[in-house]
């Protein structure tokens, strides 16, 4: 029996190129006799299909594999929704950078075919859980595959907060905020903020200050099991925001407590056999290639 028989599909619905790739993929999967389950919004963007449909949040209940056609943002959203099901994700790149969606459109049938025949690499990634507590009551929360970011929000103004790691006071900081990033997110916003690139297999989290008021404040890498607490200062004249993967945004109030820790559910990313993290870095970050 094939390992992957029920295949879920998620696509970036506003993109015509994504729609074309989805239609190719559906035809390929139907020819192979696979059962296709389309995410509901994706299904509405397609002119014709005979596939079952499901909401994104329920897609993992009926699928052995979910293929995401789009950019890294599409895969991040799928990861947040589906991590609890332990269903593996495979990405077809129809975005710009494509650190996570590593099958190109011209390789679609060949690479997806290899994966479905068992020729693939499986990689485990962890996510972060975030919650905001106000006066002892949880006001909001979310999860992130890349990062959780505390930032000023709509106003360009320094904010003040205290950082605790595993219950120990680290510092009080005045800055534009703080990025708390997984290894997956270390090549995203954290990299732009001056953070290090971390190999995806590392069980570590990096904290990257955003334009700190003191030049001695530098990124810190800590173990992945660490628990973080940020206390929003009562002195702030604005309301700092918290975002998860740049998508879900929450507005805090002075005195709020933000807690962040590793999510209990892990994500399995599927890659073609020729996937190489360092080659991805060379290609996506324009590192110099050694001449032959």
């Amino acid at each position: 029996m094939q390992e992957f028989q029920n295949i879920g599909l998620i696509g970036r619905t506003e993109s015509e190129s994504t729609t074309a790739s989805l239609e190719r993929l559906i035809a390929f999967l139907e020819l192979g006799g696979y059962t296709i389950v389309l995410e509901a919004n994706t299904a509405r963007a397609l002119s014709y299909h005979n596939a079952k449909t499901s909401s994104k949040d329920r897609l993992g209940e009926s699928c052995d594999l979910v293929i995401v056609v789009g950019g890294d943002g599409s895969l991040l959203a799928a990861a947040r929704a589906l991590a609890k099901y332990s269903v593996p994700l495979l990405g077809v790149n129809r975005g710009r950078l494509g650190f996570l969606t590593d099958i190109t459109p011209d390789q679609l049938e060949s690479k997806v075919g290899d994966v479905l025949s068992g020729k693939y690499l499986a990689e485990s990634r962890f996510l972060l859980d975030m919650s905001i507590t106000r006066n002892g009551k949880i006001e909001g929360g979310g999860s992130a595959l890349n990062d959780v970011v505390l930032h000023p929000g709509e106003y360009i103004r320094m904010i003040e907060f205290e950082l605790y790691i595993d219950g120990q006071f680290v510092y009080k900081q005045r800055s534009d905020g703080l990025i708390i990033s997984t290894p997956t997110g270390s090549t995203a916003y954290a990299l732009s903020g001056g953070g290090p690139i971390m190999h995806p297999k590392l069980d570590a989290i990096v904290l990257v200050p955003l334009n700190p008021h003191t030049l001695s404040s530098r990124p810190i890498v800590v173990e992945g099991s660490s628990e973080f607490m940020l206390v929003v200062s009562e002195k702030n004249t604005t309301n700092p925001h918290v975002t998860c993967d740049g998508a879900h945004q929450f507005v805090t109030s002075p005195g709020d407590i933000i807690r962040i820790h590793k999510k209990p559910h892990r994500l399995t990313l599927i890659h073609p056999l020729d996937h190489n993290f360092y080659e991805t870095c060379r290609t996506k970050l324009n590192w110099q290639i050694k001449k032959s």
Side-chain angles (χ1 to χ4, degrees):
M1 184 177 177
Q2 291 176 316
E3 181 180 6
F4 304 129
Q5 178 59 43
N6 302 303
I7 313 297
L9 297 181
I10 299 175
R12 194 159 58 101
T13 55
E14 68 276 12
S15 167
E16 290 184 8
S17 61
T18 298
T19 301
S21 291
L22 281 166
E23 290 172 346
R24 277 176 56 192
L25 190 52
I26 290 171
F28 175 74
L29 294 173
E30 286 179 339
L31 192 62
Y34 295 94
T35 300
I36 302 169
V37 184
L38 287 172
E39 184 268 333
N41 289 331
T42 304
R44 284 192 285 270
L46 299 173
S47 57
Y48 172 78
H49 66 83
N50 291 316
K52 302 176 182 177
T53 62
S54 170
S55 66
K56 185 184 294 181
D57 288 340
R58 303 292 295 273
L59 197 60
E61 294 179 354
S62 55
C63 297
D64 310 311
L65 172 71
V66 172
I67 302 176
V68 180
V69 183
D72 286 346
S74 300
L75 196 138
L76 290 171
R80 293 192 300 271
L82 300 175
K84 60 186 177 184
Y85 295 108
S86 300
V87 59
L89 299 186
L90 174 67
V92 176
N93 186 25
R94 270 302 187 179
R96 290 187 294 271
L97 198 56
F99 252 100
L100 301 174
T101 51
D102 47 18
I103 293 178
T104 59
D106 60 304
Q107 300 173 315
L108 195 152
E109 288 86 357
S110 62
K111 294 295 185 182
V112 171
D114 285 346
V115 168
L116 296 177
S117 65
K119 301 174 185 176
Y120 64 85
L121 300 172
E123 194 172 59
S124 180
R125 306 280 183 101
F126 69 85
L127 294 84
L128 298 174
D129 268 336
M130 182 279 298
S131 65
I132 300 172
T133 302
R134 182 176 303 156
N135 299 323
K137 179 183 176 182
I138 294 180
E139 292 291 322
S143 60
L145 178 59
N146 268 357
D147 48 45
V148 176
V149 181
L150 176 69
H151 60 97
E154 57 186 309
Y155 300 104
I156 303 175
R157 190 175 298 170
M158 277 197 170
I159 57 178
E160 184 175 278
F161 58 90
E162 295 176 0
L163 169 67
Y164 297 81
I165 301 177
D166 293 330
Q168 297 184 354
F169 176 70
V170 180
Y171 52 58
K172 177 182 283 187
Q173 185 177 105
R174 282 180 53 79
S175 66
D176 286 349
L178 184 70
I179 305 169
I180 299 179
S181 171
T182 67
T184 301
S186 70
T187 52
Y189 190 26
L191 182 62
S192 300
I197 293 175
M198 298 194 292
H199 194 280
K201 291 182 180 180
L202 282 175
D203 185 12
I205 294 171
V206 64
L207 294 85
V208 181
L210 288 171
N211 301 319
H213 196 247
T214 171
L215 296 178
S216 61
S217 185
R218 291 290 182 265
I220 304 174
V221 179
V222 299
E223 62 180 330
S225 61
S226 301
E227 297 194 359
F228 308 92
M229 184 172 74
L230 301 174
V231 180
V232 180
S233 174
E234 299 277 1
K235 297 179 181 179
N236 287 311
T237 57
T238 184
N239 294 77
H241 290 41
V242 181
T243 58
C244 296
D245 285 343
H248 298 144
Q249 184 160 277
F250 306 87
V251 181
T252 69
S253 295
D256 282 1
I257 297 173
I258 304 158
R259 291 184 172 89
I260 301 160
H261 57 84
K262 184 189 291 185
K263 194 176 184 70
H265 307 100
R266 297 181 70 94
L267 171 71
T268 299
L269 272 184
I270 298 294
H271 302 287
L273 281 178
D274 59 357
H275 172 75
N276 182 305
F277 173 70
Y278 303 109
E279 181 181 355
T280 301
C281 288
R282 284 196 303 272
T283 303
K284 306 300 181 182
L285 301 178
N286 296 316
W287 288 355
Q288 185 174 356
I289 300 174
K290 183 178 179 181
K291 294 181 179 180
S292 57

